[in-house]
Amino acid sequence: MNSPFISDLNSPISLNNFFMQEALREAKKAYDKDEVPVGAVIVHENKIIARAHNQVEMLRDPTAHAEMIAITQATSALSSKWLNDCIMYVTLEPCCMCAGAMVLARVKKLVYGANDPKTGACGSVLDIINHEVLNHHVDMEKGVLAEECAYLLSSFFQEKRKKNNGLN
């Protein structure tokens, strides 16, 4: 994977890579805990104010997605229910629940890595963050460090399949 050290942090591409690397660090924590490896960070004024990874298995809570935990942390950090000036970086395209939470929290922008062709709700299957009838829309950029994000997920599920087939 790419080095977490970015030489030119003034470039938007480099900033996106830097913050996505931080989301990948969170995803690796989930991987190590046998959770689906998704990580998220929320940035306000170029500072990370929230970081989280999936904790569904550990908490036995289907809502304990990285994005949901990060939103709770960020609203607490800002003492506000709105995240108008925040950017969320996520390693995998958010699901319906997480996309809806981003709309309700009024996240300014979403940057994600890998597409989710099965449950992605930011353009792949549905497009909740930009649905015409909702009162808030989330700007979006996709594909940032997509290969690294997808590789971590595919490695996790390959390992799961091997264990389930008794090969490991």
Side-chain angles (χ1 to χ4, degrees):
M1 292 202 189
N2 292 341
S3 168
F5 301 104
I6 308 298
S7 60
D8 180 13
L9 290 179
N10 292 322
S11 163
I13 294 171
S14 294
L15 275 175
N16 282 345
N17 285 351
F18 176 80
F19 291 124
M20 189 59 75
Q21 283 285 353
E22 292 300 310
L24 273 163
R25 288 179 207 265
E26 289 297 316
K28 288 174 188 171
K29 290 178 187 177
Y31 189 108
D32 292 342
K33 295 175 181 175
D34 206 28
E35 297 274 359
V36 174
V38 176
V41 297
I42 297 180
V43 174
H44 180 258
E45 297 176 352
N46 288 332
K47 292 164 92 175
I48 295 174
I49 61 168
R51 57 177 64 240
H53 55 275
N54 277 359
Q55 297 181 40
V56 172
E57 301 301 325
M58 182 181 80
L59 298 176
R60 294 184 176 95
D61 178 355
T63 69
H65 289 196
E67 300 95 324
M68 301 296 284
I69 296 167
I71 287 171
T72 299
Q73 289 176 4
T75 56
S76 179
L78 295 177
S79 297
S80 172
K81 65 181 179 178
W82 307 129
L83 300 175
N84 303 57
D85 297 321
C86 294
I87 301 172
M88 179 182 284
Y89 291 83
V90 186
T91 57
L92 180 66
E93 179 182 2
C95 68
C96 295
M97 173 182 66
C98 296
M102 288 190 309
V103 169
L104 293 173
R106 298 185 183 174
V107 170
K108 179 181 181 179
K109 184 175 181 178
L110 164 68
V111 178
Y112 74 83
N115 288 330
D116 186 346
K118 292 184 179 180
T119 64
C122 300
S124 290
V125 177
L126 300 170
D127 193 2
I128 291 175
I129 63 170
N130 288 303
H131 196 283
E132 61 192 37
V133 300
L134 298 177
N135 67 337
H136 177 75
H137 298 148
V138 179
D139 293 335
M140 180 186 66
E141 185 171 340
K142 62 183 178 176
V144 174
L145 300 182
E147 289 181 24
E148 291 91 334
C149 296
Y151 178 79
L152 190 61
L153 284 157
S154 65
S155 296
F156 176 81
F157 287 111
Q158 284 176 0
E159 196 173 294
K160 281 284 194 198
R161 282 190 291 278
K162 283 181 186 176
K163 284 181 185 176
N164 289 340
N165 291 328
L167 300 174
N168 192 0

